[in-house]
Amino acid sequence: MLKYYEFQNSAKILSGEFAIENISYEFKVLGAKNILVLTDKTLEKIGIVQIVIDGINEKIVNVSKIFSDIPQDSSINVIDKIVKIYKNLNCDGILAIRWRICYRHSKRCTYGFISRKRKCYGTYGM
Amino acid sequence: MKKTIKRKINLHFKKIVSKIVLYFLYKGFKVVSKKDENVKREIESWENNFTIKIDIGIDNINLKIKKENGNLIRIKETDNLDLEICFKSIDVAFLMLTGRLGISKAYAEHRFTLKGDISKAMSLVRCIDIIEAYLFPKIIARNILKKIPDKTMGILKCYTMILFER
């Protein structure tokens, strides 16, 4: 039988000038060192992802991979794909750029890791 | 995906400026502690071997000051820190060091983390406020300080003393 546990993935809002630059610190507090970035093709194309990458201090957190293959109406297969990449790259945190679908996916992945007793220290959505 | 060249140049510039300002902050500490009664009183309240670290959050650029026999000295390595101010990012540290963000506002906005005795930190903040009043022109100091303290010397005299201080 599955052991009982409660889980809350609460939100912390960082807003204002130099909020992006604080992401590295937030991951450091959570204990994450290798992170997986979830985003979509459009944001990568228009340069939003570049702004976030510019703000990350690579000496604190390492961006293992940027996964931008998330379509608008995504399925469970995409989540499985993300979980596989996450495990292969030995990541311990997820950064989701774009609120709706990417963040929802990152949360679903986190649930997946916890139920499989995998470590996921931080999930941040932008 | 790598950082853009613009951002790399920006970071490099900020690192250089931060190093210079930290140097002047340390020297300013030494000069003002001799000339200003308020700073002198605050420093006297710290116990001997009291060590402070101000870290700007990148590449180990920091300022470590130790009180030794009543004098303040800059040290490179230490194991026991009594007070540590660590900025979350260099961008915020740069704002504070260039006089665009006051230390009180930076604290209120959670721009840095503090380790150590908070009463000693308040004492340090009061010292930094006074030193900023000496180091920055009035037009800048007015924006970052609640009240400009009475100064015993002008900005030119202060910088001259900093440059020729041994």
Side-chain angles (χ1 to χ4, degrees):
Chain A
M1 207 176 126
L2 192 69
K3 241 184 176 179
Y4 170 79
Y5 70 89
E6 289 182 7
F7 173 64
Q8 186 189 10
N9 201 345
S10 58
K12 180 178 179 182
I13 299 166
L14 310 173
S15 179
E17 203 179 8
F18 298 121
I20 292 171
E21 281 73 10
N22 277 3
I23 290 173
S24 318
Y25 170 79
E26 295 298 333
F27 274 112
K28 189 184 162 189
V29 169
L30 292 164
K33 278 175 188 156
N34 290 313
I35 58 166
L36 178 68
V37 178
L38 302 183
T39 183
D40 64 14
K41 285 264 189 303
T42 322
L43 289 177
E44 208 174 9
K45 213 183 282 175
I46 62 172
I48 301 289
V49 180
Q50 187 63 60
I51 294 170
V52 178
I53 298 297
D54 278 350
I56 290 173
N57 184 352
E58 71 279 356
K59 277 166 192 159
I60 299 174
V61 279
N62 173 41
V63 178
S64 300
K65 192 182 167 67
I66 298 167
F67 185 85
S68 58
D69 232 359
I70 302 173
Q72 273 295 325
D73 301 305
S74 192
S75 65
I76 191 82
N77 296 333
V78 178
I79 294 170
D80 279 343
K81 209 171 158 186
I82 296 167
V83 171
K84 210 177 273 175
I85 293 168
Y86 187 96
K87 281 178 182 172
N88 288 342
L89 295 172
N90 232 351
C91 297
D92 46 21
I94 298 171
L95 174 68
I97 308 168
R98 196 176 176 192
W99 181 254
R100 291 177 70 191
I101 196 81
C102 296
Y103 189 52
R104 219 182 299 150
H105 271 34
S106 69
K107 279 206 167 193
R108 278 173 193 160
C109 292
T110 321
Y111 288 125
F113 298 133
I114 286 182
S115 62
R116 288 166 209 168
K117 292 188 178 175
R118 288 276 308 180
K119 280 178 189 171
C120 182
Y121 295 116
T123 307
Y124 266 85
M126 295 190 69
Chain B
M1 194 178 272
K2 286 181 178 172
K3 278 191 168 69
T4 52
I5 295 167
K6 192 183 163 192
R7 176 66 178 161
K8 279 181 186 168
I9 295 168
N10 183 284
L11 277 176
H12 196 66
F13 170 73
K14 282 178 179 175
K15 277 182 213 171
I16 292 167
V17 173
S18 301
K19 272 185 187 174
I20 295 166
V21 179
L22 284 177
Y23 170 80
F24 276 98
L25 187 68
Y26 161 64
K27 287 284 184 181
F29 234 115
K30 283 192 88 171
V31 167
V32 177
S33 65
K34 284 173 195 161
K35 297 282 174 188
D36 193 288
E37 280 301 316
N38 293 328
V39 178
K40 203 186 276 182
R41 212 179 309 125
E42 294 289 355
I43 291 170
E44 273 169 12
S45 71
W46 304 345
E47 62 265 26
N48 207 25
N49 293 331
F50 184 75
T51 318
I52 301 161
K53 182 185 175 190
I54 300 172
D55 195 299
I56 65 159
I58 196 164
D59 279 356
N60 253 349
I61 301 171
N62 54 44
L63 171 67
K64 291 192 199 99
I65 304 174
K66 189 178 181 184
K67 187 187 169 187
E68 212 173 67
N69 304 323
N71 291 320
L72 293 172
I73 52 162
R74 188 173 187 176
I75 50 169
K76 281 187 178 172
E77 291 298 322
T78 183
D79 291 330
N80 47 344
L81 288 164
D82 295 296
L83 199 65
E84 188 180 357
I85 289 176
C86 196
F87 284 92
K88 288 182 182 178
S89 73
I90 188 173
D91 304 271
V92 180
F94 181 76
L95 280 186
M96 214 213 85
L97 294 171
T98 50
R100 285 181 285 165
L101 182 73
I103 194 159
S104 331
K105 198 180 174 197
Y107 184 73
E109 288 178 358
H110 295 181
R111 298 297 201 173
F112 59 82
T113 52
L114 174 74
K115 278 181 203 163
D117 187 353
I118 200 155
S119 63
K120 291 279 191 305
M122 295 309 290
S123 172
L124 175 70
V125 166
R126 282 193 290 273
C127 289
I128 290 177
D129 274 351
I130 297 168
I131 294 158
E132 279 181 339
Y134 278 97
L135 293 178
F136 294 126
K138 209 172 182 178
I139 195 158
I140 297 174
R142 214 166 35 199
N143 292 332
I144 56 169
L145 303 178
K146 281 176 258 174
K147 190 189 159 205
I148 295 173
D150 298 326
K151 296 196 280 184
T152 53
M153 59 183 163
I155 186 166
L156 276 176
K157 193 183 174 187
C158 183
Y159 273 100
T160 316
M161 285 183 80
I162 285 170
L163 291 171
F164 295 104
E165 195 266 339
R166 277 172 190 268

